[in-house]
Amino acid sequence: MSGARGGSCVTSSISARCACGALQFQSTAAPVMQVICHCADCRAATGRSFCETAFFRTGHGAITGPQSVTSFVAASGARTERVACSRCRTVMFDTSNRFPDIIGVLAETIEPPFVAKPACHMWVSSKVAGSDITDGLPQHAEGLS
Ligand SMILES: [Zn+2]
Ligand SMILES: [Zn+2]
């Protein structure tokens, strides 16, 4: 019978949602990587001086809800899509054709008990003046490729 294996199965489940709750993301696995990105695209999309993104394998996650997709070519040259809630306009996801099986989820939309643990900074070359990095994490001038 199913479920006979006891406590060894991984039950970590992560959910994220937009401000109004209509757009949601569920993943059955932890993120494969987390970064802080300072690129102009992230700054424009979020209105902040940087954004924290957790990357998940698309095979482990599912998006539900009303999506508004913006497609553009990022500084890296990759075709990128940003997905926002079409109701409240919260930007939640980004995808790149360079990493087709990975989806980026804006860390601030992920619900507790998830705690963002970024591994590095990206696009530090595009960072806004005055936002000093003091956390000691590795810094990459551009994106990961
Ligand atoms: Zn919403
Ligand atoms: Zn970025």
Side-chain angles (χ1 to χ4, degrees), residues 26-91:
Q26 302 271 342
S27 175
T28 55
V32 290
M33 186 172 63
Q34 298 179 50
V35 304
I36 296 173
C37 187
H38 298 262
C39 82
D41 299 323
C42 287
R43 291 193 276 110
T46 62
R48 302 183 186 220
S49 51
F50 60 85
C51 76
E52 267 181 30
T53 304
F55 293 97
F56 295 85
R57 293 214 181 275
T58 51
H60 292 149
I63 298 175
T64 52
Q67 301 171 36
S68 167
V69 179
T70 308
S71 185
F72 62 98
V73 176
S76 62
R79 175 146 294 278
T80 301
E81 290 191 338
R82 275 195 199 277
V83 182
C85 172
S86 63
R87 290 191 198 159
C88 69
R89 300 281 154 193
T90 303
V91 175

Short mmCIF file of all heavy atoms in Angstrom, two decimals, residues 26-91:
data_model
loop_
_atom_site.label_atom_id
_atom_site.label_comp_id
_atom_site.label_asym_id
_atom_site.label_seq_id
_atom_site.Cartn_x
_atom_site.Cartn_y
_atom_site.Cartn_z
N GLN A 26 3.32 26.87 -6.13
CA GLN A 26 3.59 25.80 -5.18
C GLN A 26 4.76 24.99 -5.70
O GLN A 26 4.79 24.65 -6.88
CB GLN A 26 2.39 24.86 -5.08
CG GLN A 26 1.09 25.51 -4.68
CD GLN A 26 0.92 25.55 -3.19
OE1 GLN A 26 1.59 24.80 -2.48
NE2 GLN A 26 0.05 26.42 -2.71
N SER A 27 5.69 24.68 -4.83
CA SER A 27 6.77 23.78 -5.21
C SER A 27 6.89 22.67 -4.18
O SER A 27 6.77 22.92 -2.98
CB SER A 27 8.10 24.53 -5.31
OG SER A 27 9.16 23.62 -5.56
N THR A 28 7.15 21.49 -4.67
CA THR A 28 7.33 20.36 -3.75
C THR A 28 8.78 20.22 -3.33
O THR A 28 9.11 19.35 -2.53
CB THR A 28 6.88 19.06 -4.43
OG1 THR A 28 7.59 18.92 -5.66
CG2 THR A 28 5.39 19.07 -4.70
N ALA A 29 9.66 21.07 -3.88
CA ALA A 29 11.08 20.97 -3.54
C ALA A 29 11.64 22.34 -3.21
O ALA A 29 11.10 23.36 -3.63
CB ALA A 29 11.86 20.36 -4.70
N ALA A 30 12.71 22.35 -2.47
CA ALA A 30 13.39 23.60 -2.10
C ALA A 30 14.01 24.23 -3.33
O ALA A 30 14.25 23.56 -4.34
CB ALA A 30 14.45 23.32 -1.05
N PRO A 31 14.29 25.54 -3.27
CA PRO A 31 14.93 26.17 -4.43
C PRO A 31 16.31 25.60 -4.70
O PRO A 31 17.00 25.19 -3.76
CB PRO A 31 15.01 27.65 -4.03
CG PRO A 31 14.81 27.69 -2.57
CD PRO A 31 14.01 26.49 -2.20
N VAL A 32 16.70 25.58 -5.97
CA VAL A 32 18.03 25.08 -6.33
C VAL A 32 19.08 26.16 -6.12
O VAL A 32 20.26 25.85 -5.94
CB VAL A 32 18.07 24.59 -7.80
CG1 VAL A 32 17.27 23.31 -7.94
CG2 VAL A 32 17.58 25.64 -8.76
N MET A 33 18.67 27.42 -6.14
CA MET A 33 19.62 28.50 -5.94
C MET A 33 18.86 29.76 -5.56
O MET A 33 17.71 29.94 -5.95
CB MET A 33 20.42 28.75 -7.23
CG MET A 33 21.53 29.77 -7.05
SD MET A 33 22.59 29.88 -8.50
CE MET A 33 21.43 30.45 -9.74
N GLN A 34 19.51 30.61 -4.79
CA GLN A 34 18.91 31.90 -4.45
C GLN A 34 19.98 32.98 -4.67
O GLN A 34 21.13 32.80 -4.28
CB GLN A 34 18.46 31.93 -2.99
CG GLN A 34 17.39 30.90 -2.67
CD GLN A 34 16.99 30.97 -1.21
OE1 GLN A 34 16.69 32.02 -0.70
NE2 GLN A 34 17.01 29.83 -0.55
N VAL A 35 19.55 34.07 -5.28
CA VAL A 35 20.49 35.15 -5.55
C VAL A 35 19.85 36.50 -5.24
O VAL A 35 18.63 36.62 -5.14
CB VAL A 35 20.95 35.16 -7.04
CG1 VAL A 35 21.54 33.82 -7.43
CG2 VAL A 35 19.81 35.54 -7.95
N ILE A 36 20.71 37.49 -5.12
CA ILE A 36 20.26 38.88 -5.07
C ILE A 36 20.70 39.50 -6.39
O ILE A 36 21.88 39.44 -6.73
CB ILE A 36 20.89 39.62 -3.89
CG1 ILE A 36 20.42 39.00 -2.57
CG2 ILE A 36 20.53 41.11 -3.94
CD1 ILE A 36 21.13 39.56 -1.35
N CYS A 37 19.74 40.05 -7.12
CA CYS A 37 20.07 40.59 -8.45
C CYS A 37 19.91 42.10 -8.45
O CYS A 37 18.91 42.63 -7.99
CB CYS A 37 19.19 39.96 -9.51
SG CYS A 37 19.69 40.43 -11.17
N HIS A 38 20.94 42.76 -9.01
CA HIS A 38 20.95 44.23 -9.06
C HIS A 38 20.73 44.74 -10.47
O HIS A 38 20.96 45.91 -10.73
CB HIS A 38 22.32 44.74 -8.55
CG HIS A 38 22.61 44.37 -7.14
ND1 HIS A 38 22.41 45.23 -6.08
CD2 HIS A 38 23.09 43.22 -6.60
CE1 HIS A 38 22.77 44.63 -4.95
NE2 HIS A 38 23.18 43.41 -5.24
N CYS A 39 20.30 43.90 -11.39
CA CYS A 39 20.21 44.34 -12.79
C CYS A 39 19.07 45.34 -12.98
O CYS A 39 18.12 45.41 -12.19
CB CYS A 39 20.07 43.16 -13.73
SG CYS A 39 18.41 42.50 -13.90
N ALA A 40 19.17 46.10 -14.06
CA ALA A 40 18.18 47.15 -14.33
C ALA A 40 16.80 46.56 -14.53
O ALA A 40 15.80 47.20 -14.16
CB ALA A 40 18.61 47.93 -15.57
N ASP A 41 16.72 45.36 -15.09
CA ASP A 41 15.41 44.75 -15.34
C ASP A 41 14.70 44.45 -14.02
O ASP A 41 13.52 44.71 -13.86
CB ASP A 41 15.57 43.45 -16.12
CG ASP A 41 16.20 43.69 -17.47
OD1 ASP A 41 15.90 44.72 -18.09
OD2 ASP A 41 17.01 42.84 -17.89
N CYS A 42 15.45 43.87 -13.09
CA CYS A 42 14.85 43.55 -11.79
C CYS A 42 14.44 44.82 -11.08
O CYS A 42 13.38 44.89 -10.45
CB CYS A 42 15.83 42.77 -10.92
SG CYS A 42 16.08 41.07 -11.45
N ARG A 43 15.30 45.82 -11.17
CA ARG A 43 14.99 47.07 -10.47
C ARG A 43 13.74 47.72 -11.05
O ARG A 43 12.88 48.22 -10.32
CB ARG A 43 16.19 48.01 -10.52
CG ARG A 43 17.34 47.45 -9.68
CD ARG A 43 18.43 48.46 -9.45
NE ARG A 43 19.39 48.53 -10.54
CZ ARG A 43 19.49 49.56 -11.39
NH1 ARG A 43 18.71 50.60 -11.28
NH2 ARG A 43 20.40 49.55 -12.34
N ALA A 44 13.63 47.68 -12.39
CA ALA A 44 12.45 48.27 -13.02
C ALA A 44 11.20 47.48 -12.68
O ALA A 44 10.13 48.05 -12.44
CB ALA A 44 12.65 48.31 -14.54
N ALA A 45 11.33 46.15 -12.63
CA ALA A 45 10.15 45.31 -12.39
C ALA A 45 9.64 45.43 -10.97
O ALA A 45 8.44 45.38 -10.72
CB ALA A 45 10.48 43.85 -12.70
N THR A 46 10.57 45.59 -10.02
CA THR A 46 10.16 45.57 -8.62
C THR A 46 10.11 46.95 -7.99
O THR A 46 9.57 47.12 -6.91
CB THR A 46 11.12 44.71 -7.78
OG1 THR A 46 12.44 45.28 -7.84
CG2 THR A 46 11.18 43.28 -8.30
N GLY A 47 10.74 47.94 -8.66
CA GLY A 47 10.78 49.27 -8.10
C GLY A 47 11.72 49.38 -6.91
O GLY A 47 11.64 50.32 -6.12
N ARG A 48 12.62 48.41 -6.78
CA ARG A 48 13.58 48.44 -5.66
C ARG A 48 14.98 48.51 -6.20
O ARG A 48 15.21 48.34 -7.38
CB ARG A 48 13.44 47.17 -4.83
CG ARG A 48 12.03 47.06 -4.34
CD ARG A 48 11.84 45.87 -3.46
NE ARG A 48 10.42 45.80 -3.17
CZ ARG A 48 9.92 45.48 -2.00
NH1 ARG A 48 10.72 45.17 -1.03
NH2 ARG A 48 8.64 45.46 -1.83
N SER A 49 15.94 48.70 -5.29
CA SER A 49 17.31 48.82 -5.76
C SER A 49 17.93 47.46 -6.05
O SER A 49 18.98 47.38 -6.69
CB SER A 49 18.15 49.60 -4.74
OG SER A 49 18.01 49.05 -3.46
N PHE A 50 17.31 46.38 -5.62
CA PHE A 50 17.73 45.03 -5.98
C PHE A 50 16.58 44.08 -5.68
O PHE A 50 15.61 44.48 -5.02
CB PHE A 50 18.98 44.60 -5.21
CG PHE A 50 18.81 44.60 -3.72
CD1 PHE A 50 18.25 43.49 -3.08
CD2 PHE A 50 19.18 45.70 -2.97
CE1 PHE A 50 18.09 43.48 -1.70
CE2 PHE A 50 19.01 45.71 -1.59
CZ PHE A 50 18.46 44.60 -0.96
N CYS A 51 16.67 42.85 -6.16
CA CYS A 51 15.63 41.90 -5.78
C CYS A 51 16.23 40.56 -5.43
O CYS A 51 17.29 40.18 -5.93
CB CYS A 51 14.56 41.77 -6.85
SG CYS A 51 15.01 40.82 -8.28
N GLU A 52 15.57 39.88 -4.53
CA GLU A 52 15.98 38.55 -4.12
C GLU A 52 15.11 37.53 -4.82
O GLU A 52 13.89 37.61 -4.75
CB GLU A 52 15.80 38.38 -2.61
CG GLU A 52 17.04 38.72 -1.83
CD GLU A 52 16.85 38.53 -0.33
OE1 GLU A 52 16.06 37.67 0.06
OE2 GLU A 52 17.49 39.26 0.40
N THR A 53 15.77 36.61 -5.51
CA THR A 53 15.03 35.62 -6.28
C THR A 53 15.45 34.22 -5.88
O THR A 53 16.64 33.94 -5.70
CB THR A 53 15.31 35.82 -7.79
OG1 THR A 53 14.98 37.15 -8.15
CG2 THR A 53 14.47 34.86 -8.63
N ALA A 54 14.48 33.35 -5.72
CA ALA A 54 14.73 31.93 -5.46
C ALA A 54 14.37 31.16 -6.73
O ALA A 54 13.29 31.35 -7.29
CB ALA A 54 13.89 31.44 -4.29
N PHE A 55 15.29 30.33 -7.19
CA PHE A 55 15.07 29.58 -8.43
C PHE A 55 14.64 28.15 -8.11
O PHE A 55 15.29 27.46 -7.32
CB PHE A 55 16.34 29.57 -9.28
CG PHE A 55 16.69 30.93 -9.80
CD1 PHE A 55 17.63 31.72 -9.14
CD2 PHE A 55 16.07 31.44 -10.93
CE1 PHE A 55 17.96 32.98 -9.61
CE2 PHE A 55 16.39 32.70 -11.40
CZ PHE A 55 17.33 33.48 -10.74
N PHE A 56 13.55 27.74 -8.76
CA PHE A 56 13.03 26.39 -8.58
C PHE A 56 13.03 25.66 -9.91
O PHE A 56 12.94 26.29 -10.97
CB PHE A 56 11.57 26.44 -8.08
CG PHE A 56 11.41 27.04 -6.72
CD1 PHE A 56 11.31 28.41 -6.55
CD2 PHE A 56 11.36 26.22 -5.60
CE1 PHE A 56 11.16 28.96 -5.29
CE2 PHE A 56 11.21 26.77 -4.33
CZ PHE A 56 11.12 28.14 -4.18
N ARG A 57 13.11 24.33 -9.85
CA ARG A 57 12.93 23.54 -11.06
C ARG A 57 11.45 23.54 -11.41
O ARG A 57 10.60 23.29 -10.56
CB ARG A 57 13.41 22.11 -10.85
CG ARG A 57 14.89 22.04 -10.66
CD ARG A 57 15.49 20.77 -11.25
NE ARG A 57 16.93 20.79 -11.00
CZ ARG A 57 17.81 21.40 -11.79
NH1 ARG A 57 17.41 21.97 -12.90
NH2 ARG A 57 19.08 21.41 -11.48
N THR A 58 11.15 23.84 -12.69
CA THR A 58 9.75 23.93 -13.10
C THR A 58 9.02 22.61 -12.91
O THR A 58 7.82 22.60 -12.64
CB THR A 58 9.64 24.35 -14.58
OG1 THR A 58 10.47 23.48 -15.36
CG2 THR A 58 10.09 25.78 -14.77
N GLY A 59 9.75 21.50 -12.98
CA GLY A 59 9.12 20.20 -12.80
C GLY A 59 8.59 19.99 -11.39
O GLY A 59 7.76 19.12 -11.16
N HIS A 60 9.08 20.80 -10.43
CA HIS A 60 8.65 20.65 -9.04
C HIS A 60 7.57 21.67 -8.67
O HIS A 60 7.03 21.61 -7.57
CB HIS A 60 9.84 20.85 -8.09
CG HIS A 60 10.84 19.76 -8.17
ND1 HIS A 60 12.18 19.96 -7.94
CD2 HIS A 60 10.71 18.45 -8.47
CE1 HIS A 60 12.83 18.81 -8.10
NE2 HIS A 60 11.96 17.88 -8.43
N GLY A 61 7.32 22.62 -9.56
CA GLY A 61 6.44 23.71 -9.17
C GLY A 61 5.29 23.91 -10.14
O GLY A 61 5.32 23.44 -11.28
N ALA A 62 4.30 24.61 -9.69
CA ALA A 62 3.15 24.92 -10.53
C ALA A 62 2.64 26.31 -10.20
O ALA A 62 2.59 26.70 -9.04
CB ALA A 62 2.05 23.89 -10.31
N ILE A 63 2.28 27.04 -11.25
CA ILE A 63 1.70 28.38 -11.10
C ILE A 63 0.20 28.28 -11.34
O ILE A 63 -0.23 27.65 -12.30
CB ILE A 63 2.31 29.36 -12.11
CG1 ILE A 63 3.82 29.51 -11.88
CG2 ILE A 63 1.63 30.72 -12.04
CD1 ILE A 63 4.50 30.37 -12.94
N THR A 64 -0.58 28.91 -10.47
CA THR A 64 -2.01 28.99 -10.72
C THR A 64 -2.45 30.44 -10.52
O THR A 64 -1.89 31.15 -9.69
CB THR A 64 -2.81 28.09 -9.76
OG1 THR A 64 -2.42 28.39 -8.42
CG2 THR A 64 -2.54 26.62 -10.03
N GLY A 65 -3.45 30.86 -11.29
CA GLY A 65 -3.98 32.20 -11.11
C GLY A 65 -3.80 33.05 -12.35
O GLY A 65 -3.21 32.62 -13.35
N PRO A 66 -4.30 34.28 -12.30
CA PRO A 66 -4.29 35.17 -13.46
C PRO A 66 -2.91 35.78 -13.70
O PRO A 66 -2.37 36.45 -12.83
CB PRO A 66 -5.30 36.25 -13.07
CG PRO A 66 -5.24 36.30 -11.58
CD PRO A 66 -4.91 34.91 -11.10
N GLN A 67 -2.35 35.50 -14.87
CA GLN A 67 -0.98 35.93 -15.15
C GLN A 67 -0.94 37.03 -16.20
O GLN A 67 -1.64 36.96 -17.19
CB GLN A 67 -0.16 34.74 -15.65
CG GLN A 67 -0.09 33.60 -14.67
CD GLN A 67 0.54 32.38 -15.31
OE1 GLN A 67 1.45 32.48 -16.12
NE2 GLN A 67 0.06 31.20 -14.93
N SER A 68 -0.07 37.98 -15.96
CA SER A 68 0.22 39.01 -16.94
C SER A 68 1.70 38.88 -17.29
O SER A 68 2.56 39.08 -16.44
CB SER A 68 -0.10 40.38 -16.34
OG SER A 68 0.45 41.39 -17.14
N VAL A 69 2.00 38.51 -18.52
CA VAL A 69 3.37 38.18 -18.91
C VAL A 69 3.98 39.29 -19.75
O VAL A 69 3.37 39.76 -20.70
CB VAL A 69 3.41 36.85 -19.71
CG1 VAL A 69 4.84 36.52 -20.13
CG2 VAL A 69 2.81 35.71 -18.89
N THR A 70 5.18 39.72 -19.34
CA THR A 70 5.94 40.69 -20.12
C THR A 70 7.19 40.00 -20.63
O THR A 70 7.93 39.40 -19.86
CB THR A 70 6.36 41.88 -19.24
OG1 THR A 70 5.22 42.40 -18.58
CG2 THR A 70 7.00 42.97 -20.08
N SER A 71 7.42 40.08 -21.93
CA SER A 71 8.56 39.40 -22.53
C SER A 71 9.54 40.44 -23.04
O SER A 71 9.14 41.44 -23.63
CB SER A 71 8.06 38.53 -23.69
OG SER A 71 9.12 37.79 -24.22
N PHE A 72 10.83 40.22 -22.79
CA PHE A 72 11.84 41.17 -23.24
C PHE A 72 13.19 40.47 -23.31
O PHE A 72 13.34 39.34 -22.83
CB PHE A 72 11.91 42.38 -22.29
CG PHE A 72 12.30 42.02 -20.89
CD1 PHE A 72 13.62 42.18 -20.46
CD2 PHE A 72 11.37 41.53 -19.99
CE1 PHE A 72 13.98 41.84 -19.17
CE2 PHE A 72 11.73 41.19 -18.70
CZ PHE A 72 13.05 41.35 -18.29
N VAL A 73 14.17 41.16 -23.90
CA VAL A 73 15.51 40.61 -23.95
C VAL A 73 16.32 41.29 -22.85
O VAL A 73 16.45 42.51 -22.82
CB VAL A 73 16.16 40.84 -25.33
CG1 VAL A 73 17.61 40.36 -25.31
CG2 VAL A 73 15.37 40.12 -26.41
N ALA A 74 16.85 40.48 -21.94
CA ALA A 74 17.56 41.01 -20.78
C ALA A 74 18.97 41.45 -21.15
O ALA A 74 19.45 41.21 -22.26
CB ALA A 74 17.61 39.94 -19.69
N ALA A 75 19.64 42.08 -20.19
CA ALA A 75 21.00 42.54 -20.40
C ALA A 75 21.92 41.40 -20.79
O ALA A 75 22.91 41.58 -21.50
CB ALA A 75 21.51 43.23 -19.13
N SER A 76 21.61 40.21 -20.33
CA SER A 76 22.43 39.03 -20.64
C SER A 76 22.24 38.57 -22.08
O SER A 76 22.97 37.72 -22.57
CB SER A 76 22.04 37.88 -19.71
OG SER A 76 20.68 37.53 -19.93
N GLY A 77 21.23 39.12 -22.78
CA GLY A 77 20.92 38.67 -24.13
C GLY A 77 19.88 37.57 -24.16
O GLY A 77 19.41 37.20 -25.22
N ALA A 78 19.51 37.06 -23.00
CA ALA A 78 18.53 35.98 -22.94
C ALA A 78 17.12 36.56 -23.04
O ALA A 78 16.84 37.64 -22.53
CB ALA A 78 18.67 35.21 -21.64
N ARG A 79 16.26 35.82 -23.73
CA ARG A 79 14.85 36.22 -23.74
C ARG A 79 14.25 35.88 -22.38
O ARG A 79 14.38 34.77 -21.89
CB ARG A 79 14.09 35.51 -24.85
CG ARG A 79 12.62 35.80 -24.81
CD ARG A 79 11.98 35.85 -26.19
NE ARG A 79 12.45 36.96 -27.00
CZ ARG A 79 11.99 38.23 -26.91
NH1 ARG A 79 11.04 38.53 -26.05
NH2 ARG A 79 12.47 39.17 -27.69
N THR A 80 13.67 36.87 -21.79
CA THR A 80 13.20 36.75 -20.42
C THR A 80 11.71 37.08 -20.36
O THR A 80 11.24 37.94 -21.11
CB THR A 80 13.98 37.74 -19.53
OG1 THR A 80 15.36 37.43 -19.62
CG2 THR A 80 13.54 37.66 -18.08
N GLU A 81 11.02 36.38 -19.51
CA GLU A 81 9.62 36.71 -19.28
C GLU A 81 9.42 37.01 -17.81
O GLU A 81 9.93 36.28 -16.95
CB GLU A 81 8.70 35.55 -19.70
CG GLU A 81 8.66 35.37 -21.19
CD GLU A 81 7.57 34.40 -21.63
OE1 GLU A 81 7.15 33.58 -20.79
OE2 GLU A 81 7.18 34.47 -22.79
N ARG A 82 8.70 38.06 -17.54
CA ARG A 82 8.31 38.35 -16.17
C ARG A 82 6.82 38.15 -16.05
O ARG A 82 6.06 38.61 -16.88
CB ARG A 82 8.65 39.79 -15.81
CG ARG A 82 10.07 39.90 -15.35
CD ARG A 82 10.33 41.20 -14.65
NE ARG A 82 11.77 41.39 -14.67
CZ ARG A 82 12.59 40.84 -13.79
NH1 ARG A 82 12.13 40.09 -12.82
NH2 ARG A 82 13.88 41.01 -13.88
N VAL A 83 6.43 37.49 -14.98
CA VAL A 83 5.02 37.17 -14.79
C VAL A 83 4.54 37.90 -13.54
O VAL A 83 5.11 37.76 -12.46
CB VAL A 83 4.81 35.66 -14.63
CG1 VAL A 83 3.33 35.35 -14.47
CG2 VAL A 83 5.40 34.91 -15.83
N ALA A 84 3.49 38.69 -13.73
CA ALA A 84 2.87 39.41 -12.62
C ALA A 84 1.43 38.97 -12.49
O ALA A 84 0.85 38.40 -13.42
CB ALA A 84 2.93 40.92 -12.87
N CYS A 85 0.86 39.21 -11.34
CA CYS A 85 -0.58 38.98 -11.16
C CYS A 85 -1.32 40.01 -12.00
O CYS A 85 -1.05 41.20 -11.93
CB CYS A 85 -0.95 39.12 -9.69
SG CYS A 85 -2.73 39.09 -9.41
N SER A 86 -2.28 39.56 -12.82
CA SER A 86 -2.98 40.50 -13.69
C SER A 86 -4.00 41.34 -12.90
O SER A 86 -4.54 42.29 -13.42
CB SER A 86 -3.67 39.76 -14.83
OG SER A 86 -4.65 38.89 -14.33
N ARG A 87 -4.23 40.97 -11.65
CA ARG A 87 -5.16 41.77 -10.83
C ARG A 87 -4.44 42.84 -10.02
O ARG A 87 -4.75 44.00 -10.09
CB ARG A 87 -5.94 40.87 -9.89
CG ARG A 87 -6.93 40.00 -10.62
CD ARG A 87 -7.86 39.31 -9.65
NE ARG A 87 -8.50 38.18 -10.32
CZ ARG A 87 -9.04 37.17 -9.67
NH1 ARG A 87 -9.03 37.14 -8.36
NH2 ARG A 87 -9.58 36.19 -10.34
N CYS A 88 -3.45 42.40 -9.21
CA CYS A 88 -2.83 43.37 -8.30
C CYS A 88 -1.46 43.83 -8.81
O CYS A 88 -0.83 44.68 -8.20
CB CYS A 88 -2.69 42.78 -6.90
SG CYS A 88 -1.49 41.44 -6.79
N ARG A 89 -1.00 43.24 -9.94
CA ARG A 89 0.25 43.67 -10.60
C ARG A 89 1.50 43.31 -9.80
O ARG A 89 2.59 43.81 -10.11
CB ARG A 89 0.25 45.18 -10.87
CG ARG A 89 -0.87 45.61 -11.79
CD ARG A 89 -0.55 45.30 -13.23
NE ARG A 89 -1.75 45.11 -14.02
CZ ARG A 89 -1.76 44.59 -15.22
NH1 ARG A 89 -0.65 44.17 -15.77
NH2 ARG A 89 -2.87 44.44 -15.88
N THR A 90 1.39 42.51 -8.75
CA THR A 90 2.59 42.05 -8.06
C THR A 90 3.43 41.23 -9.03
O THR A 90 2.92 40.28 -9.64
CB THR A 90 2.22 41.15 -6.86
OG1 THR A 90 1.36 41.88 -5.99
CG2 THR A 90 3.46 40.69 -6.12
N VAL A 91 4.69 41.61 -9.20
CA VAL A 91 5.61 40.81 -10.02
C VAL A 91 6.08 39.62 -9.18
O VAL A 91 6.54 39.79 -8.05
CB VAL A 91 6.81 41.64 -10.47
CG1 VAL A 91 7.82 40.77 -11.22
CG2 VAL A 91 6.35 42.79 -11.34
#
